[in-house]
Amino acid sequence: MEKIIIEILGYVSATLTTIAFLPQIIKTVQTKSAKDVSMGMFVLFTIGVFLWIIYGVLTRTYPVLIANAVIFCLALTQIILKIIYDKR
């Protein structure tokens, strides 16, 4: 497979998996509730994403690095929202 096709595949995959988090964050903000969000899952997921960032840096795999950096921020946002809304 040509390198450009592989790169495009990587960026499309990264984009789709990254924007998949937006509906959950939007719903959490709109409802001001995160009671159905699993803190354990998001903490483990965020640690895994952080490790993917390190992998992306070490291998210079930019789709992996960029996507996981954005996902890390979104997952961290969800964790913060859960903490804020669970206190209410």
Side-chain angles (χ1 to χ4, degrees), residues 32-66:
K32 296 188 180 359
S33 173
K35 67 179 178 164
D36 294 329
V37 174
S38 169
M39 179 64 92
M41 176 276 202
F42 265 94
V43 168
L44 290 173
F45 181 79
T46 304
I47 293 168
V49 167
F50 182 73
L51 295 174
W52 274 115
I53 292 169
I54 293 169
Y55 174 84
V57 169
L58 295 175
T59 62
R60 294 189 176 122
T61 311
Y62 296 108
V64 171
L65 172 60
I66 294 167

Side-chain angles (χ1 to χ4, degrees), residues 7-41:
E7 283 287 313
I8 291 170
L9 178 65
Y11 281 105
V12 170
S13 301
T15 300
L16 292 174
T17 56
T18 301
I19 63 173
F21 274 85
L22 291 177
Q24 181 65 60
I25 291 174
I26 292 167
K27 183 176 181 179
T28 301
V29 170
Q30 287 175 340
T31 63
K32 296 188 180 359
S33 173
K35 67 179 178 164
D36 294 329
V37 174
S38 169
M39 179 64 92
M41 176 276 202

Side-chain angles (χ1 to χ4, degrees), residues 49-87:
V49 167
F50 182 73
L51 295 174
W52 274 115
I53 292 169
I54 293 169
Y55 174 84
V57 169
L58 295 175
T59 62
R60 294 189 176 122
T61 311
Y62 296 108
V64 171
L65 172 60
I66 294 167
N68 283 287
V70 174
I71 292 170
F72 181 82
C73 292
L74 293 173
L76 202 55
T77 298
Q78 185 63 51
I79 289 171
I80 292 167
L81 290 172
K82 176 137 180 85
I83 292 168
I84 290 170
Y85 293 139
D86 278 359
K87 287 185 178 182

